[in-house]
Amino acid sequence: MRLSLEWLADYVDLPPAEKLAERLTMAGLEVEGLERPGDALKNVVIAKVLQASPIEGTHLSACRVFDGTLERAVVCGAPNVAAGQTVVLAIPGATVGGKAIVETTIRGQKSQGMICSERELGLSENHAGILVLPENVAAGTPAARALDLDDLIFEVKATPNRPDWLSHVGVAREIAALTGAALRLPALTLAENGPPISDAARVTVEDHQRCGRYVARVIEGVKIGPSPRWLVRRLEAAGVRALSNVVDITNYVLMELGQPLHAFDLDRVKNGHLIVRAARAGEPLTTLDGKARKLDADDLVIADASRPIALAGVMGGATSEVSADTTRVLLESASFTPAGIRRTARRHALHSEASHRFERGADPEIAAFAADRAAALMSELCGGTIRRGRIDLAASLSKREIALRAGAAKRLLGIDISSSEQSRMLTALGCKESTASVWQGPSWRPDLREETDLVEEIGRLHGYDRVPAIAPPMSALPTPTSADDEAISAARNSLSASGFSEAVNYSFTAPALLAALGAETGAIAIANPLTALQSAMRTTLVASLCENLQLNLARGATNVRLYELGRVYRASGNADRPANEPRRIGLLLFGARTPLGWAAEKGAADFYDLKAAVESLATALGRTLSFAPTNAPHLHPVSASAAILDGTVVGTLGELHPAAAQKLSLPRGVWVAELEADALFAAARLQPRLSSVTRFPAVLRDLAIVVDETITATDVDRAIRADGGSLLEAATLFDVYRGAPLPSGQKNLAYSLAYR
C-alpha cells in the first residue's frame, strides 16, 4: 500500500521520515520503498507572465516571465498564454515530459525555459494549453510545493492479519501508539437538509451470516464533475486514479478509513430497494470492468427487485453505476464476512481494493462513520443534499474479552515490563480493560483473540530490537534417541550404502498413475486439488518413484536408484479415522549394475541386485528376510516376490509389469520394491550382539541335489537346515545346472555346507 506522509500528518504528528520508516518496519509494517514525487520537478518553479506577444507568421508567442529571481525570455506555443498569468516554468537544467530543458533559439527568439501544461508536468493528459494557477501563488515557489507534490510516499507491506494497516487513519493510529503522539480523527460536519431517507430507499438483508452490517445514505442533487485538485493529488499519491467527484470521494474515504464504499445511481435501482442475498446459480451480472459474469450460488450480491446490481464486497455492476447524468446517489457502507468475499474474488479472478480489505476483515463499527464522512464530502464537493437519517441494519457484535495474566509478558518475552506500561501500550492500541486483567480488543483488530496476541503487541510496541539476546541454556547430555528414530537412521544408512538416493515426494498423485499400477482401490480423492495430476492421495510409493524415474529419463539419466520413506493413504471406511496411513519404504532400481568404467562389471541390474539391497536393509535392522513367489498386479509374474519376516509378508519386490511400464511410458527393466516400514522398525533388533571367535575350523562339504523345477531353492534350503541340526553353520547355493543328462523339467542345485 502507498502512504502519503502529507496525508498522514492530518491525523498524527510525524517524526522525521527516516526515523518513522525504521519504527514502522521494526513494528512489523515493513516500509519497502520511498518515493518523492516532487523530485521529478527539480528546477521547475512558479513564474508570472509579464508580457506575451505573438510571433508574426507562427502560432508562437514571445513572452517575458519573472521566476522570482530573474526575468526570462520564453517562447510558448500554447494558445491560452497571456500577460498577468501565474504559470509553471521549467528553467534550463529541468527535465519535464522526458525532455531536458536547455536555453535555445526559436524563430530568432531566445527561449530560456518552457511554460508547462498539465501533461508535461505529469498531472493529467490535458495538453490543450498551459496550466494557469491562482494569482496568490508567489513567483519563485518551487512547483512541487505549489502543486502539492512536496510529499513523501511510503510503499508499505501490510501483513494479512492487519486490515487496519490498509488505511491512513489505521497507520496513523499505529504511529500514535508507537510514538505517544495524539491521534486526530477526521472532523465530521453533517448537514441533513433533505426529507427522510425512508421516503427514497430501503434495504433488506436476507443473509445476515455473510452481511453483518449494512449502512446506507441518500444524497440528492449532486453534480457529477471533476474532483478538486487536493483530492485528486491525494488519490494519486495512494495509487488510485481519479474518475469523478462522487466515485473519488468513495475511494478517498476507503484510503482514509479503510472502509470500502459503493455509490449507486438511485434512479437506476428499481423501487429504490436494495436486497442483500445469495446469487442464483447462473444469474448474469456485468461488473464495472465491463465483463459479463455468470454467478455462483455461493456468491453474495446486492440486488434490486429485478436483478443483481453489484457483487457484494468485490465490485459494483454496470447497470447501476454513477454516470455523468447521475443526480441521486445511494451510498453503501457495509460489512461482509471475509471467507465469502475471498471465495467470490478468487472464483471470478476479480481482486479489487474493496475485496482486498473485506478478505482481511474490515472494521464493522466504522461503517456508519464512513458513510457519514462520504456523505458530508459529497454535500460539500458535489453540491448534494443529504436526506435525514441513515439506514443501519446491524447484527449484534460480540465483544472479544481476553484475559492477560500477571507475569505472562515476562514469561513469553523474557523481559520485565511494568503492568502500568503494559496497560498504557494496550490502551494506545485501542484496547479497553473491562475488568481487572481482562481486555477487550478493538473492532479494527480482528487478530487479537488470546493472551499471546496481547503479549505480542506489548513486545512489538516495546521494540523487539530492545529485547536482550540471551543464549538459551544448553544441556551437555545428549538427547535420547527413540528406537523408531534409530531404526529409520539404520535403514537410511543401509540404502545409501547400496547406492540409493532418497526421494521426497508429495502425497498427491494422478488417479491414472494409480490405475496403471493396479493400485486405485481405496484411493482417496482430493476435494480441491491443485491440478488434475495431483487429485488423489497415493496408495503406493511406487507411483511417486515412477514419476521420479520419468523425470530423470526425460533429462538423460541412465542409471537411477531411488528410495522413499513415507506414508500411503487408503480409505478405511471408519468415520472416526477415514484413512489408514501406514509408513512404507519404496525402492526403485533402473540401469546398469555398476557405474561405467574400464574395470567395471558390465550388465544391467536385475532382480538379485534389488533383492540384495532389501536383504542389506533387513540386516541393518538386525533381522533376516525370506522370499517366496507372490502375485502383485504391478509386478511381472516371473519375478514377483514377497518379503517375509517371521512368517508375515512385509513387502513385495520384482520387475515392474511390462503393461504398467508401457502405460507409464517407461522401458523394461524397472525393478521396484515396497516394504512395510512400521512392521520392520517394530521388529528391529538394533542392540549389537557379540559372540566369541571359535578356535576350531569348519568342516566343509558340498551337496548336489536334483529336484523338479517346481521346487524352489528356498524349499531346499529349509530342508537342509532342518536336517543339519545345530552344527550346520551355513548352507550356500553356489550353482544351478539344467540340461543333459538331466531330464527336462529338472535342475541340479549345488550347495556348500559348513559344519562347526
Side-chain angles (χ1 to χ4, degrees):
M1 179 177 170
R2 290 167 60 88
L3 293 171
S4 162
L5 263 61
E6 181 265 337
W7 195 348
L8 276 174
D10 284 357
Y11 315 120
V12 66
D13 294 332
L14 303 177
E18 290 74 14
K19 185 176 181 181
L20 175 61
E22 181 182 1
R23 290 293 300 274
L24 290 176
T25 300
M26 293 303 298
L29 182 57
E30 183 179 355
V31 179
E32 297 184 308
L34 306 176
E35 178 185 327
R36 289 180 170 83
D39 287 352
L41 298 182
K42 186 178 180 181
N43 293 324
V44 181
V45 298
I46 304 303
K48 301 290 185 179
V49 181
L50 305 177
Q51 179 182 348
S53 304
I55 300 176
E56 188 175 351
T58 71
H59 68 285
L60 305 174
S61 299
C63 305
R64 300 291 299 177
V65 299
F66 176 62
D67 67 3
T69 303
L70 302 173
E71 284 192 20
R72 296 178 180 271
V74 177
V75 175
C76 180
N80 64 327
V81 65
Q85 291 175 332
T86 302
V87 297
V88 180
L89 176 68
I91 62 178
T95 300
V96 293
K99 178 182 178 182
I101 305 302
V102 297
E103 186 173 326
T104 186
T105 301
I106 302 174
R107 293 297 180 97
Q109 301 287 332
K110 181 186 291 186
S111 184
Q112 298 171 302
M114 183 175 76
I115 303 175
C116 302
S117 67
E118 291 187 25
R119 188 171 75 178
E120 289 159 343
L121 295 169
L123 302 179
S124 74
E125 291 302 312
N126 184 6
H127 195 54
I130 59 172
L131 174 62
V132 180
L133 299 178
E135 294 182 1
N136 59 356
V137 183
T141 304
R145 186 189 310 161
L147 298 173
D148 293 328
L149 296 174
D150 191 15
D151 194 4
L152 180 63
I153 308 298
F154 278 3
E155 188 74 38
V156 298
K157 183 179 181 180
T159 53
N161 66 321
R162 293 297 302 269
D164 57 308
W165 280 346
L166 296 173
S167 69
H168 282 76
V169 166
V171 175
R173 185 183 288 114
E174 184 76 9
I175 295 170
L178 289 169
T179 64
L183 178 68
R184 300 182 292 269
L185 292 176
L188 179 63
T189 302
L190 190 69
E192 298 177 303
N193 298 321
I197 189 174
S198 57
D199 296 342
R202 61 192 180 103
V203 176
T204 301
V205 177
E206 294 183 357
D207 193 337
H208 289 281
Q209 291 295 324
R210 293 182 59 179
C211 179
R213 189 176 190 183
Y214 199 97
V215 177
R217 274 203 174 272
V218 171
I219 305 95
E220 296 178 318
V222 300
K223 295 181 177 62
I224 304 299
S227 297
R229 181 167 297 281
W230 67 266
L231 194 152
V232 172
R233 299 311 304 160
R234 286 198 167 181
L235 289 179
E236 289 176 346
V240 179
R241 183 168 59 93
L243 298 172
S244 66
N245 47 11
V246 167
V247 176
D248 292 348
I249 287 169
T250 62
N251 287 330
Y252 178 83
V253 175
L254 168 67
M255 293 298 168
E256 180 183 56
L257 301 176
Q259 171 63 34
L261 304 173
H262 184 67
F264 296 98
D265 185 330
L266 182 55
D267 292 323
R268 301 172 73 179
V269 177
K270 189 172 182 179
N271 300 329
H273 185 195
L274 293 182
I275 305 169
V276 185
R277 61 170 174 83
R280 301 181 180 94
E283 200 170 21
L285 172 66
T286 300
T287 46
L288 288 174
D289 58 1
K291 292 184 179 180
R293 304 178 187 275
K294 284 190 176 181
L295 302 181
D296 187 273
D298 185 51
D299 293 328
L300 187 70
V301 297
I302 313 300
D304 62 12
S306 61
R307 66 197 188 285
I309 58 176
L311 202 52
V314 180
M315 186 173 284
T319 58
S320 60
E321 69 176 314
V322 170
S323 66
D325 299 325
T326 298
T327 59
R328 300 200 303 159
V329 171
L330 176 55
L331 183 63
E332 167 194 282
S333 179
S335 177
F336 300 110
T337 304
I341 300 301
R342 189 179 304 115
R343 293 196 302 270
T344 293
R346 293 187 179 180
R347 182 182 301 114
H348 295 283
L350 187 57
H351 186 77
S352 64
E353 293 286 355
S355 69
H356 186 70
R357 285 156 178 81
F358 281 130
E359 286 177 27
R360 286 154 176 77
D363 179 8
E365 291 192 5
I366 206 173
F369 181 81
D372 292 349
R373 172 75 166 148
L377 287 171
M378 290 182 190
S379 175
E380 176 186 349
L381 304 179
C382 308
T385 300
I386 305 171
R387 277 185 173 258
R388 293 197 309 277
R390 62 171 178 253
I391 298 170
D392 191 348
L393 306 178
S396 59
L397 299 174
S398 59
K399 298 292 185 180
R400 288 173 284 116
E401 294 198 334
I402 309 167
L404 180 62
R405 293 169 295 177
K410 183 176 182 179
R411 186 177 67 256
L412 294 176
L413 297 176
I415 53 177
D416 195 4
I417 302 175
S418 67
S419 58
S420 60
E421 179 65 8
Q422 293 181 36
S423 297
R424 186 199 66 77
M425 292 177 180
L426 294 176
T427 302
L429 290 170
C431 298
K432 295 180 180 178
E433 192 170 16
S434 56
T435 59
S437 301
V438 177
W439 293 83
Q440 289 182 353
S443 58
W444 58 84
R445 291 296 304 275
D447 58 311
L448 300 183
R449 298 190 174 277
E450 54 189 45
E451 183 181 68
T452 52
D453 297 327
L454 296 183
V455 174
E456 180 185 10
E457 292 303 295
I458 292 168
R460 203 171 56 82
L461 292 189
H462 177 76
Y464 290 133
D465 55 324
R466 296 171 58 195
V467 176
I470 301 174
M474 301 292 289
S475 172
L477 299 175
T479 303
T481 304
S482 68
D484 190 70
D485 287 341
E486 288 184 0
I488 290 173
S489 178
R492 284 189 165 124
N493 290 338
S494 171
L495 291 169
S496 296
S498 297
F500 287 79
S501 298
E502 184 173 9
V504 179
N505 292 297
Y506 289 115
S507 298
F508 318 129
T509 190
L513 182 57
L514 297 177
L517 297 171
E520 69 274 22
T521 303
I524 301 172
I526 297 173
N528 55 340
L530 296 174
T531 70
L533 298 178
Q534 294 182 337
S535 58
M537 303 296 289
R538 64 185 180 185
T539 59
T540 171
L541 297 183
V542 174
S544 301
L545 294 172
C546 284
E547 287 185 293
N548 297 147
L549 179 59
Q550 290 172 339
L551 192 64
N552 277 271
L553 293 177
R555 283 153 177 76
T558 56
N559 299 313
V560 179
R561 292 189 181 209
L562 296 173
Y563 80 90
E564 181 174 8
L565 171 59
R567 296 189 182 276
V568 297
Y569 306 83
R570 287 185 181 273
S572 66
N574 185 342
D576 295 330
R577 185 182 177 86
N580 294 321
E581 305 176 16
R583 286 184 300 176
R584 291 186 181 172
I585 301 174
L587 286 78
L588 181 142
L589 173 61
F590 175 80
R593 172 173 289 116
T594 54
L596 182 65
W598 69 271
E601 180 184 353
K602 305 298 189 293
D606 58 18
F607 171 81
Y608 297 101
D609 295 292
L610 179 65
K611 179 171 176 282
V614 173
E615 288 180 317
S616 296
L617 169 61
T619 301
L621 296 175
R623 301 307 305 268
T624 301
L625 298 176
S626 60
F627 300 88
T630 190
N631 292 316
H634 68 290
L635 297 179
H636 195 300
V638 171
S639 62
S641 302
I644 302 170
L645 175 66
D646 297 335
T648 302
V649 175
V650 293
T652 58
L653 63 157
E655 183 185 4
L656 189 65
H657 198 290
Q662 184 178 20
K663 291 177 182 178
L664 299 177
S665 301
L666 294 175
R668 290 288 302 273
V670 178
W671 301 93
V672 295
E674 189 164 21
L675 307 172
E676 298 290 346
D678 291 322
L680 288 173
F681 295 162
R685 296 171 181 169
L686 300 176
Q687 187 70 30
R689 297 187 178 189
L690 304 180
S691 59
S692 61
V693 178
T694 179
R695 295 182 293 116
F696 304 103
V699 176
L700 303 179
R701 294 289 184 270
D702 287 348
L703 177 66
I705 304 175
V706 178
V707 296
D708 290 339
E709 286 282 7
T710 57
I711 297 177
T712 67
T714 301
D715 296 332
V716 176
D717 183 271
R718 188 181 299 114
I720 292 174
R721 292 180 184 278
D723 189 60
S726 61
L727 297 181
L728 180 64
E729 186 177 71
T732 306
L733 176 67
F734 67 87
D735 188 46
V736 178
Y737 175 78
R738 296 178 178 87
L742 295 178
S744 176
Q746 290 190 333
K747 59 188 175 183
N748 181 76
L749 304 180
Y751 284 84
S752 174
L753 308 181
Y755 293 89
R756 200 192 302 268

